[in-house]
Amino acid sequence: MLLILLVFANQVELKAFDTPNDGGSSITLEWHPDTLFNSYVIFRSVDPEGNFEQICELSDRTTYFDTQVVGGEDYYYRVEARGRESAVSSYIVGPVRAFPQIFNTSRINIAVCIVVLFFAIIYYITRARRGQRLFIRKIPGITAVEEAIGRATEMGKPVLYVPGIMDIDEPETIASMSILGRVAEKTAEYGTPLYVPTSKAMVMSMAQQVVKEASIRVGRPDWFNIDNVRYLTDDQFGYVSAVDGIMVREKPATNFYLGKFYAESLILAETGFSTGAIQIAGTALPDQLPFFVAACDYTLLGEELYAASAYLSQEPVQLGSLKGQDVGKLIFVIVVILGVLDRLVGFDILYNLFNTAQQ
Amino acid sequence: MSTEIGVWIAALLTLAIYSFLYKDNPFYKVAENIFVGVSAGYWAVILWFNYAWPNLFEPLIMRGSVIYLIPIIVGLMMFAPLIPRVSWLIRIPLTFTMGVAMALVILQRIQGEIFPQLQATFLPLSGVSPMQLISNLLIIFGVLSTLVYFYFSKAHRGVLGVFAKLGIWFMMVAFGASFGYTVMARISLLIGRVYFLLHNWLQLI
């Protein structure tokens, strides 16, 4: 028995190294599998001569990521392979320390993608700033904005603008704020009241700034009423019940739902529909779009929401950005075609290039 | 019938909210105001105990990390509109939040949405069953035509227009499926509420 143990002793070849491409919070352990053993027990210590504490026991793997380490500190490891009748241990491996990597090399594909998009956007912004006319196709929902505000003005009723239930760290909310600026300009120009109930305090602050500045731009600072841009509650359905209340009591002739919406989308759109308001909606969440399509007069689908602000403002930075993104889409169309052909001939180069599962 | 006061309050508020299906009425107004007021208060407490205290005030006051004074100063700028002379200061926290969020979102969207979607579209067209081939072709053409629909730099005319129309059809089919699926989920929510009324409150079932 002793002979057997000696023969297998030190046969577990353990490798311990800093986990690559992470923030310095993990050490990777690897060893070779052996059919004689059915479990591997991992021990760790901060001192090669000190006590090693067991940190885990594995039966089906020969790799372990130790995430219970402090970055920059030295650690020592050993693995004990256990079988039915025998057990062998590896050498003590160390010192190993976890440290952060500045670049995650597995994300180079994403970096390349961002750089390409960046230069495409900069190129088109420069062209737009030089005064070149950049063509953007007509989007029906956007062209209806003015008509919808005009309708509310003729009826002597207010306009309701719902910017979604998420905060200003969501792209949809930012796009919504941009469109709100344009809507506020028009409503201020016509002297039509504009209600903007919000679900987040920062969105309220931002909306107040946007509406106020829009009223100043069109020379109607007196039109701006800070109480019309107000915070209701952070709670999703509490917010919806309050907005529904505004709809049935104030009876706005035009409702805008532009931003990020979840389960409240249909409740809002159906209530608005029941009050007879003209409704324009837009969101990038595919799960909520069907409800807006079903219950609203116009719907901005996905990226049309982002395109809307550029289209309405005709501002060079936004137009250039939109055109740059179009370049990205064109590249993606080509990549899809090439990727399918790549799989057809069995190379799988592009398939592996766009793999993000291991990042 | 239940004897718990909490169940009675929940049941009566549920009925008051559902009364909106008939028309706006005083019961709905009461329930709405309670809902908005209570939830706003609840969220204020959540934001304080889950975000502001552990992430900001606790490290500053208990551990003396003065670096946390920076976010406090930036946060206080949110109140700048109360003083007209310095109201412009509010732009600093707003633009900072937006800038950081956008930088993070770009990476997240490319890594989490665009690349996996592209990879999932590289589907095999050989060595698969005829039904699988049709399914793969539908997905490939669906993705390509939908991408074409969202191309804003050219008018949707000619071949591009045909592809864009195809893209709209694909999206509408997807929306229809999603609509049906979600309506089913909403009905299960309604069942849950009716069950609460009949079981917990009235104890009829």
Side-chain angles (χ1 to χ4, degrees):
Chain A
M1 187 66 185
L2 181 65
L3 185 67
I4 294 171
L5 275 176
L6 284 172
V7 167
F8 284 104
N10 303 325
Q11 282 200 343
V12 180
E13 281 182 34
L14 175 66
K15 277 191 226 166
F17 51 90
D18 170 47
T19 304
N21 300 320
D22 76 344
S25 57
S26 154
I27 289 171
T28 304
L29 305 175
E30 282 178 3
W31 59 93
H32 291 294
D34 196 318
T35 50
L36 282 174
F37 308 111
N38 49 27
S39 72
Y40 298 93
V41 184
I42 299 166
F43 296 88
R44 180 183 64 198
S45 174
V46 291
D47 178 4
E49 307 294 328
N51 283 335
F52 276 76
E53 61 164 331
Q54 180 180 330
I55 53 171
C56 74
E57 183 169 355
L58 306 166
S59 58
D60 54 346
R61 285 189 288 149
T62 54
T63 306
Y64 178 71
F65 299 99
D66 184 7
T67 54
Q68 303 298 310
V69 293
V70 178
E73 284 195 11
D74 289 342
Y75 290 94
Y76 298 85
Y77 293 90
R78 71 180 176 84
V79 170
E80 193 175 288
R82 290 177 180 170
R84 281 191 171 184
E85 294 177 356
S86 59
V88 295
S89 180
S90 69
Y91 286 119
I92 291 170
V93 175
V96 193
R97 65 173 62 165
F99 55 91
Q101 281 74 50
I102 295 173
F103 292 104
N104 184 343
T105 52
S106 66
R107 286 185 183 170
I108 283 177
N109 50 3
I110 295 168
V112 171
C113 181
I114 289 174
V115 168
V116 169
L117 286 175
F118 173 79
F119 280 107
I121 288 168
I122 294 293
Y123 171 72
Y124 279 105
I125 288 175
T126 313
R127 279 183 59 176
R129 279 192 170 150
R130 280 183 190 151
Q132 287 188 20
R133 195 179 164 272
L134 301 179
F135 174 80
I136 301 286
R137 73 169 167 82
K138 265 192 172 180
I139 301 168
I142 302 172
T143 46
V145 168
E146 203 158 329
E147 173 197 327
I149 297 169
R151 179 179 182 261
T153 310
E154 281 169 13
M155 293 173 76
K157 288 182 173 180
V159 171
L160 177 71
Y161 192 100
V162 184
I165 61 159
M166 298 307 283
D167 223 324
I168 59 163
D169 56 355
E170 290 290 338
E172 287 94 332
T173 312
I174 295 170
S176 176
M177 289 296 114
S178 191
I179 301 168
L180 173 62
R182 183 69 181 168
V183 170
E185 273 181 14
K186 280 285 153 202
T187 46
E189 213 176 301
Y190 298 154
T192 308
L194 171 68
Y195 296 130
V196 189
T198 68
S199 172
K200 297 284 180 282
M202 283 189 84
V203 176
M204 179 198 72
S205 301
M206 193 164 185
Q208 284 175 346
Q209 292 297 308
V210 167
V211 175
K212 188 179 171 185
E213 280 171 24
S215 69
I216 293 167
R217 269 201 304 276
V218 295
R220 293 291 311 274
D222 55 308
W223 168 87
F224 174 64
N225 180 357
I226 198 163
D227 292 334
N228 286 351
V229 186
R230 58 179 184 258
Y231 167 80
L232 297 172
T233 169
D234 271 62
D235 186 82
Q236 182 186 18
F237 291 109
Y239 175 71
V240 174
S241 65
V243 175
D244 279 357
I246 293 171
M247 282 185 207
V248 293
R249 275 157 232 152
E250 305 291 339
K251 298 227 179 316
T254 303
N255 296 338
F256 291 98
Y257 313 108
L258 300 167
K260 194 158 192 172
F261 294 87
Y262 288 93
E264 68 284 357
S265 59
L266 186 59
I267 305 172
L268 290 171
E270 273 300 320
T271 310
F273 179 77
S274 72
T275 61
I278 186 169
Q279 304 200 96
I280 298 175
T283 186
L285 272 189
D287 291 345
Q288 303 309 323
L289 277 169
F291 303 116
F292 283 145
V293 170
C296 294
D297 299 277
Y298 297 96
T299 307
L300 301 175
L301 304 170
E303 213 188 320
E304 286 180 347
L305 176 67
Y306 305 122
S309 53
Y311 186 88
L312 286 169
S313 69
Q314 293 291 311
E315 206 256 323
V317 174
Q318 293 197 36
L319 279 175
S321 173
L322 187 64
K323 295 290 274 190
Q325 289 170 55
D326 268 2
V327 171
K329 276 172 253 172
L330 204 60
I331 292 170
F332 293 145
V333 166
I334 295 165
V335 164
V336 168
I337 295 167
L338 291 176
V340 172
L341 293 174
D342 180 45
R343 288 213 79 181
L344 200 60
V345 294
F347 289 157
D348 289 353
I349 299 168
L350 281 171
Y351 187 81
N352 295 325
L353 193 68
F354 286 92
N355 186 20
T356 55
Q358 300 300 317
Q359 293 171 6
Chain B
M1 207 172 261
S2 173
T3 52
E4 285 179 45
I5 187 147
V7 173
W8 271 86
I9 292 171
L12 292 176
L13 287 175
T14 301
L15 291 175
I17 289 285
Y18 275 133
S19 69
F20 185 72
L21 291 171
Y22 170 59
K23 67 174 190 178
D24 190 31
N25 62 75
F27 296 110
Y28 177 76
K29 282 180 190 166
V30 169
E32 176 200 318
N33 284 293
I34 291 173
F35 198 0
V36 173
V38 169
S39 61
Y42 172 78
W43 273 96
V45 174
I46 291 278
L47 292 172
W48 171 257
F49 284 105
N50 289 8
Y51 298 96
W53 175 256
N55 296 322
L56 189 60
F57 292 103
E58 197 268 337
L60 177 72
I61 297 165
M62 309 303 279
R63 285 187 264 140
S65 306
V66 287
I67 190 90
Y68 286 90
L69 281 172
I70 297 171
I72 286 183
I73 292 166
V74 176
L76 285 173
M77 289 176 186
M78 287 296 295
F79 297 99
L82 297 173
I83 309 162
R85 274 178 58 199
V86 292
S87 63
W88 57 272
L89 280 173
I90 194 175
R91 291 177 186 175
I92 295 171
L94 290 177
T95 48
F96 178 78
T97 311
M98 280 166 53
V100 171
M102 287 310 98
L104 291 170
V105 163
I106 285 174
L107 181 67
Q108 190 190 326
R109 293 277 162 102
I110 292 176
Q111 188 183 351
E113 292 173 22
I114 297 175
F115 277 22
Q117 173 76 67
L118 285 173
Q119 200 193 27
T121 316
F122 301 158
L123 292 164
L125 298 179
S126 64
V128 291
S129 66
M131 280 310 287
Q132 191 61 50
L133 179 68
I134 292 169
S135 167
N136 289 355
L137 281 170
L138 274 175
I139 292 172
I140 292 163
F141 277 105
V143 170
L144 287 176
S145 54
T146 307
L147 270 172
V148 167
Y149 174 80
F150 287 110
Y151 191 71
F152 298 105
S153 297
K154 286 253 183 269
H156 286 169
R157 290 197 205 104
V159 181
L160 202 72
V162 173
F163 257 90
K165 199 140 222 160
L166 196 64
I168 274 285
W169 275 97
F170 271 107
M171 279 192 281
M172 289 304 151
V173 170
F175 291 162
S178 176
F179 191 96
Y181 176 78
T182 314
V183 166
M184 288 304 290
R186 298 291 165 84
I187 287 173
S188 76
L189 287 178
L190 175 67
I191 291 168
R193 218 57 221 151
V194 173
Y195 182 79
F196 167 77
L197 291 174
L198 297 179
H199 178 76
N200 299 57
W201 183 45
L202 297 174
Q203 297 182 347
L204 295 175
I205 53 172

